[in-house]
């Protein structure tokens, strides 16, 4: 789905900047590399890549129009996002236009564990730059900003899991639908039903 989104935006004259943070395990898993290089060479896409299992750095060379790969350390995507230049960029994108930011939209796609680390990295970026004298104040402000981004549909998630751990085999208590409905506010917390299972959606 991200390819279609990037392609659509690349063909819009007024779409604004497009950034892709691409995390994968190995260099050979850098899917659609040639496609991304073509867009990057045309100035239609900015891309950052992190390989978690290969000690390789990837850097796009605009003169050559290709990615250059050099020896380096293994890097997870959250680490790439937290580098100073990228963190500052993300902060500028996350802020609304009325706050001097770009009011960008973020789409996160991947497994649930991966998504959790990326969400935490976004939270760390916000806490790094947001005003607040104490850690507790910055944490609360970061949570509020994250919730607002999701509420405004500016942070959208497409996450999935294939995990069927042993806890699914255990006999679970049955819940009345009325009990689930009550868990739909800040005081009671938030629950959601997916395929007959109740999930606690609180942080």
């Amino acid at each position: 789905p991200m390819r279609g989104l990037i392609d659509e935006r690349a063909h819009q004259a007024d779409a604004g900047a497009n950034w892709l943070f691409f995390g994968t395990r190995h260099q050979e898993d850098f899917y659609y590399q040639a496609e991304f290089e073509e867009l990057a060479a045309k100035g239609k896409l900015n891309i950052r890549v992190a390989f978690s299992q290969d000690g390789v750095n990837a850097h796009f060379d605009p003169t050559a129009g290709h990615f250059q790969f050099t020896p380096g350390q293994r890097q997870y995507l959250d680490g790439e996002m937290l580098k100073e230049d990228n963190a500052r960029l993300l902060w500028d994108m996350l802020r609304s236009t009325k706050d001097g930011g770009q009011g960008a939209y973020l789409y996160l796609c991947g497994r649930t564990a991966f998504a959790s680390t990326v969400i935490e990295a976004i939270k760390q970026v916000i806490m790094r730059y947001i005003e607040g004298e104490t850690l507790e104040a910055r944490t609360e402000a970061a949570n509020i900003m994250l919730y607002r981004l999701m509420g405004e549909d500016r942070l959208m998630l497409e996450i999935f899991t294939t995990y069927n751990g042993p806890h699914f085999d255990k006999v679970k208590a049955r819940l009345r639908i009325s009990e689930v409905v009550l868990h739909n506010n800040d005081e009671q917390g938030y629950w959601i039903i997916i395929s007959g299972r109740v999930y606690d959606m609180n942080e």
Side-chain angles (χ1 to χ4, degrees):
M2 289 299 301
R3 290 175 65 208
L5 175 64
I6 292 169
D7 184 65
E8 179 69 19
R9 287 182 57 82
H11 287 87
Q12 296 174 0
D14 58 348
N18 297 303
W19 283 86
L20 175 64
F21 285 80
F22 189 103
T24 190
R25 292 181 178 180
H26 302 284
Q27 183 178 339
E28 59 264 27
D29 298 331
F30 187 7
Y31 304 115
Y32 315 114
Q33 177 183 331
E35 190 174 311
F36 293 147
E37 286 176 334
E38 183 179 347
L39 291 171
K42 293 177 180 177
K44 300 285 188 178
L45 180 66
N46 302 287
I47 185 166
R48 298 289 184 268
V49 184
F51 301 115
S52 63
Q53 300 300 314
D54 285 345
V56 177
N57 290 326
H59 174 74
F60 183 75
D61 183 346
T63 305
H66 297 288
F67 277 91
Q68 303 293 331
F69 300 97
T70 56
Q73 294 188 355
R74 293 185 296 179
Q75 182 73 58
Y76 289 95
L77 194 62
D78 56 333
E80 182 69 24
M81 293 169 67
L82 290 170
K83 289 180 179 177
E84 184 59 34
D85 289 349
N86 292 332
R88 171 57 71 175
L89 167 77
L90 286 166
W91 171 243
D92 289 339
M93 286 195 289
L94 288 167
R95 287 182 296 149
S96 66
T97 52
K98 70 178 182 179
D99 294 328
Q102 300 174 19
Y105 289 75
L106 285 80
Y107 298 85
L108 172 56
C109 180
R111 293 181 184 272
T112 50
F114 165 80
S116 294
T117 61
V118 172
I119 291 289
E120 183 59 30
I122 293 172
K123 185 175 176 180
Q124 292 299 319
V125 167
I126 296 170
M127 289 176 62
R128 186 183 297 184
Y129 299 108
I130 203 163
E131 293 182 7
E133 294 190 12
T134 66
L135 176 62
E136 185 178 272
R138 290 196 310 277
T139 300
E140 183 177 355
N143 283 333
I144 291 171
M145 187 171 181
L146 273 173
Y147 299 151
R148 190 175 73 238
L149 287 167
M150 290 184 181
E152 293 173 352
D153 286 336
R154 288 184 48 218
L155 175 56
M156 290 176 259
L157 311 178
E158 183 181 344
I159 59 178
F160 58 91
T161 182
T162 56
Y163 178 65
N164 284 319
H167 63 286
F168 284 133
D169 297 330
K170 297 177 182 175
V171 175
K172 297 291 185 180
R174 293 188 176 270
L175 298 171
R176 296 182 184 276
I177 191 69
S178 57
E179 185 176 352
V180 178
V181 170
L182 291 174
H183 287 79
N184 192 30
N185 55 56
D186 288 339
E187 185 178 335
Q188 299 291 329
Y190 295 89
W191 290 1
I192 190 171
I193 302 173
I194 302 174
S195 299
R197 294 192 178 108
V198 178
Y199 295 86
D200 185 339
M201 300 302 291
N202 296 300
E203 188 173 6

